[in-house]
Amino acid sequence: RQVIHPDIAHQGDKQKRTGPLITCFIALQDIDSEMGPSEFLPRTNTAEFHRQLNDHSLRDDMLGNVASKISLLKEGDCSIFDATTLHAGTANKSEHRRRLFYFTFRSLAMEDPRTWNNPGSIRPEVKDRKLSLKDIQDAIQRWRKTEQQQL
């Protein structure tokens, strides 16, 4: 099981939001309750919940009292959430690896929200390309055509 975390830490007034900061998890196969589905803590995308998460004296009480939702997905389904929402992958008790494709949208006018302790996972050469959703859709279509030709 993952520890509860945000994909991007809430940075208070330092984090000037000039548009949405949205993460999307796309299931690459069916994810049932045995495969370690994501657990989301709705409405925890605030400075106060992040403060409690980072304060060891408050964390357990907050986590014990906040609502949570499990995200069971079929192949191709997606969970869309604010990137500062607290969440975690639950324990995978199946024989299969849980596979998700994920990405975060932000306005290009927004300052890069990554921090020293949350550097993001995108390779710099990909980040610098400033890909749009259309670019990603086109790349997936090209990949599918290549896969079908090899069958």
Side-chain angles (χ1 to χ4, degrees), residues 8-70:
I8 297 178
H10 198 285
Q11 299 167 27
D13 294 338
K14 290 186 265 182
Q15 185 176 345
K16 183 179 177 189
R17 301 265 310 242
T18 56
L21 188 59
I22 303 296
T23 296
C24 180
F25 288 170
I26 300 175
L28 299 180
Q29 87 276 41
D30 291 352
I31 299 175
D32 62 25
S33 60
E34 294 294 305
M35 288 188 75
S38 297
E39 177 181 17
F40 293 96
L41 308 182
R43 295 182 286 283
T44 57
N45 58 327
T46 67
E48 178 57 23
F49 278 107
H50 284 237
R51 184 185 71 75
Q52 290 178 45
L53 182 71
N54 293 319
D55 183 330
H56 297 288
S57 68
L58 300 174
R59 177 186 303 149
D60 290 343
D61 189 48
M62 182 270 290
L63 292 175
N65 289 303
V66 70
S68 70
K69 300 288 182 185
I70 298 295

